[in-house]
Amino acid sequence: MTESIHSAATEHGLGVIKKVLILGGGSAGWLAANHLAKNLRANQENGIEVILVESPNIPTIGVGEGTVPAMRNTLKYFGISETEFITQCDATFKQGIKFVDWLNNPNQGQPDHYHHVFDYPNISEINLTPYWLMQPETAKKSFVDALSVQGKICDAGLAPKLITTPEFQGVTSYAYHLDAGKFTQILTKNAVTKLGVKHIRAEVKAITQHDNGEIKSVLTDEHGEIFADFFVDCSGFRALLIDKTLEVGFIDKSDVLFADHAVAIQVPYEHQDTDIPSFTLASAQSCGWIWDIGLKQRRGIGHVYSSAHISHEQAEQDLRSYIGSAANNIESRLLKMRIGYREKFWHKNCVALGLAQGFVEPLEATGLLVFDATAKMLAERFPIGKSDMALLATQFNQQVKQSWDSVIEFVKLHYCLSQRTDSDFWRENRQPNTIPERLKERLARWRFQPPSAYDFTSKDEVFNLDNYLYVLYGMKFDTESEHLAGRFADREKADQMFAEQQAYLQTLLKNLPSHRQLIDKIHQFGLQKY
């Protein structure tokens, strides 16, 4: 009876939102469930009921095994122990991404590389970037090694913290590598047992709508008709609510980002004491790139590629050649990726999150980053009723679109700066008609002066100044430095800060444990509570 009353209230314009139904599980669905339940007091009197309905027969995509540092705040906010998360999700630490052979054609036995790390340069005193640019080439360290200790920490195989460092704190900044399936399980447990989310496993047979087009209910095989006042579409690329029901269109971005498939293999370690890199390894290939992620028990390895430039068979062969004999007799998984985002993310009484909302290739761990951020935004800006829904939807749509555009620009940056000429894939990525206009304008401006915080004034930018600096100057972007001396004259202070950075690095190299050692100790002893 309660369900019918709630439905009728919405239908007749009373505008009461008392029940939210999330369609689809996976990382996106359960991130949304935790955010909504935490904000809407789902398990308290006068709170809004949160229900998640997912099929017992549809597997999740489950290859999004990299995160960014914001995930630490999310886990802490949800009330999930970092020790529990690490031990239950086969998780390891991620201090950044090491890009191999992205700049030049591969040179056998001499790969070039750069790091995009999570420790951001300290610009509170002075901005060291112009001073680095002015250094003579013969004396210049790489950008990351001059302005951060973390690249060398990664190269040395060290962890970002000590076993005595409390949960969610670090000597350096960090995120995680994780088993996506196990991550979904821990999110499910937290949402259901701690936050009061109702979990229903059922096949959805049909969707019903009100006369005004809003979604009314989902019809299931095991639980009949389930009414709700507000719906969240986390049904993946199928997009059962936002696309199949509400018919919101999709903006294709494959003309900007060409990679549209991935083939993935999970490879167990031959020895359980194998060193684990504390970074994602991203190795450029002829028509895409290979991710290599080390978890505690295995490696997750996948080849992201453009099917317009290479066959599926050759892409898989290239992946197996990269892995070597360890891939023998292990099945691969082929994934098709739809690159782009919805024309609207919030339409009527439905919001699309996760793959139903949009997707770009997994470079820079953009998937979980955007899914988590937009779920948090929805939860914190959730409508009181129908009266404010349209206004909130307009703002939400504008902000999420800007976020997706900024993600696409940043991913494209990695490709259009490449000087590789060994395939049409790389050459076409530099064609001006494939580069977003704002990115072209920024690159033109940054030829004459380095990027500054004034280039990143919008809070909807997912990647900001520090991210761009590491990629730009990791890929040898040329900013004219001859005219900088007159504007940046505090060279003595800059030299002192460069030297302090190197001294600090030596201290860390002596004191930080290896990554594998720390992970093993966490499983044995746990971390201190924050």
Side-chain angles (χ1 to χ4, degrees):
M1 182 63 181
T2 303
E3 292 175 341
S4 298
I5 291 173
H6 290 168
S7 176
T10 301
E11 184 173 13
H12 290 95
L14 298 180
V16 178
I17 297 178
K18 294 297 293 180
K19 183 182 292 187
V20 178
L21 188 150
I22 302 167
L23 181 59
S27 298
W30 286 108
L31 281 168
N34 278 274
H35 275 298
L36 288 168
K38 182 81 174 180
N39 274 274
L40 304 180
R41 302 189 303 130
N43 60 347
Q44 299 180 34
E45 187 178 354
N46 298 322
I48 295 176
E49 184 178 6
V50 178
I51 302 172
L52 188 144
V53 178
E54 66 175 330
S55 167
N57 302 313
I58 299 177
T60 57
I61 297 296
V63 297
E65 298 187 323
T67 63
V68 297
M71 186 56 68
R72 287 156 58 194
N73 295 328
T74 295
L75 294 174
K76 185 176 179 181
Y77 173 67
F78 288 167
I80 296 174
S81 154
E82 187 173 41
T83 298
E84 180 185 10
F85 163 75
I86 290 172
T87 56
Q88 292 190 16
C89 295
D90 197 19
T92 55
F93 293 105
K94 174 185 174 183
Q95 299 189 72
I97 304 172
K98 182 177 181 178
F99 291 92
V100 176
D101 285 336
W102 281 75
L103 180 59
N104 298 306
N105 294 340
N107 186 358
Q108 191 68 31
Q110 293 183 311
D112 62 23
H113 75 271
Y114 72 94
H115 284 282
H116 174 195
V117 297
F118 292 145
D119 259 358
Y120 294 156
N122 179 10
I123 60 173
S124 57
E125 294 184 68
I126 59 173
N127 181 2
L128 289 177
T129 301
Y131 295 96
W132 176 83
L133 287 168
M134 288 187 288
Q135 290 179 345
E137 290 298 323
T138 54
K140 187 182 292 186
K141 294 180 181 292
S142 70
F143 182 80
V144 68
D145 290 342
L147 276 77
S148 171
V149 299
Q150 203 162 27
K152 291 298 186 185
I153 296 299
C154 289
D155 288 337
L158 302 181
K161 62 194 294 180
L162 305 165
I163 189 62
T164 53
T165 310
E167 290 191 332
F168 302 115
Q169 298 179 26
V171 176
T172 62
S173 183
Y174 64 86
Y176 310 101
H177 293 134
L178 52 84
D179 182 302
K182 294 178 180 179
F183 183 48
T184 296
Q185 292 174 11
I186 200 171
L187 291 174
T188 303
K189 176 183 175 183
N190 195 73
V192 172
T193 61
K194 293 183 181 179
L195 301 177
V197 173
K198 185 177 181 180
H199 185 198
I200 296 176
R201 289 188 174 274
E203 291 286 356
V204 173
K205 298 299 184 182
I207 313 293
T208 70
Q209 293 174 267
H210 295 289
D211 292 341
N212 64 1
E214 291 186 355
I215 299 173
K216 181 179 181 181
S217 67
V218 297
L219 302 176
T220 69
D221 58 350
E222 295 289 335
H223 294 267
E225 187 170 14
I226 306 174
F227 296 91
D229 307 306
F230 196 90
F231 294 79
V232 180
D233 190 348
C234 294
S235 61
F237 287 129
R238 296 176 301 150
L240 295 178
L241 301 180
I242 200 71
D243 181 5
K244 301 298 188 298
T245 304
L246 297 180
E247 299 180 343
V248 174
F250 187 84
I251 299 174
D252 189 287
K253 289 293 183 177
S254 60
D255 59 333
V256 179
L257 300 177
F258 305 153
D260 59 354
H261 283 78
V263 57
I265 297 178
Q266 295 181 354
V267 183
Y269 294 121
E270 185 176 352
H271 304 288
Q272 287 306 304
D273 60 350
T274 300
D275 291 339
I276 308 171
S278 60
F279 52 84
T280 298
L281 185 60
S283 299
Q285 303 294 301
S286 63
C287 301
W289 60 280
I290 288 175
W291 80 74
D292 193 338
I293 288 175
L295 303 184
K296 186 178 188 297
Q297 305 292 340
R298 64 168 175 83
R299 293 158 68 195
I301 310 173
H303 186 185
V304 179
Y305 61 94
S306 165
S307 62
H309 296 87
I310 191 173
S311 69
H312 301 306
E313 294 76 16
Q314 186 60 54
E316 179 167 348
Q317 181 56 50
D318 289 351
L319 175 63
R320 291 185 178 277
S321 296
Y322 170 90
I323 298 171
S325 60
N328 293 347
N329 303 316
I330 300 180
E331 291 187 1
S332 65
R333 185 179 180 190
L334 180 65
L335 304 166
K336 183 176 181 179
M337 304 180 294
R338 192 180 188 191
I339 306 302
Y341 52 74
R342 292 285 153 198
E343 292 176 354
K344 288 188 288 186
F345 313 98
W346 184 335
H347 184 53
K348 297 186 181 294
N349 64 335
C350 176
V351 167
L353 296 176
L355 299 177
Q357 179 188 96
F359 187 74
V360 300
E361 60 171 271
L363 192 71
E364 298 283 1
T366 53
L368 284 177
L369 168 61
V370 177
F371 302 164
D372 182 36
T374 52
K376 183 174 185 287
M377 185 191 307
L378 173 63
E380 294 184 354
R381 300 289 294 159
F382 197 79
I384 297 172
K386 287 186 65 176
S387 58
D388 63 337
M389 192 180 296
L391 293 173
L392 289 170
T394 298
Q395 181 190 46
F396 185 88
N397 288 329
Q398 290 172 345
Q399 292 179 316
V400 176
K401 181 183 184 302
Q402 290 171 3
S403 294
W404 276 110
D405 284 337
S406 75
V407 165
I408 290 169
E409 289 174 10
F410 187 61
V411 173
K412 182 66 175 182
L413 178 74
H414 299 68
Y415 290 105
C416 69
L417 291 183
S418 176
Q419 298 173 23
R420 288 184 64 145
T421 58
D422 55 321
S423 72
D424 289 341
F425 173 82
W426 292 101
R427 288 189 291 267
E428 290 171 14
N429 260 300
R430 290 193 293 274
Q431 292 296 317
N433 64 315
T434 73
I435 304 173
E437 287 301 318
R438 186 174 69 162
L439 179 57
K440 284 193 286 190
E441 292 173 2
R442 283 176 165 178
L443 291 174
R445 188 166 61 249
W446 295 336
R447 292 288 181 191
F448 300 98
Q449 55 181 284
S452 78
Y454 294 106
D455 294 310
F456 302 91
T457 56
S458 172
K459 292 184 178 180
D460 299 319
E461 293 260 9
V462 176
F463 296 99
N464 292 292
L465 172 62
D466 307 297
N467 308 109
Y468 272 82
L469 289 173
Y470 282 131
V471 175
L472 283 168
Y473 297 122
M475 296 194 73
K476 306 296 196 302
F477 183 79
D478 185 20
T479 299
E480 293 183 7
S481 59
E482 292 81 2
H483 64 285
L484 296 177
R487 297 174 57 192
F488 300 95
D490 202 352
R491 185 165 297 193
E492 183 176 343
K493 177 62 176 177
D495 289 342
Q496 178 186 339
M497 292 176 67
F498 284 129
E500 289 172 353
Q501 191 83 335
Q502 298 307 307
Y504 180 49
L505 170 63
Q506 296 308 311
T507 299
L508 295 183
L509 290 174
K510 293 177 183 177
N511 294 319
L512 286 173
S514 79
H515 189 205
R516 166 67 79 175
Q517 287 174 341
L518 178 59
I519 294 298
D520 288 344
K521 283 186 177 181
I522 292 172
H523 278 258
Q524 184 176 2
F525 303 112
L527 291 164
Q528 298 180 44
K529 297 296 182 182
Y530 54 87

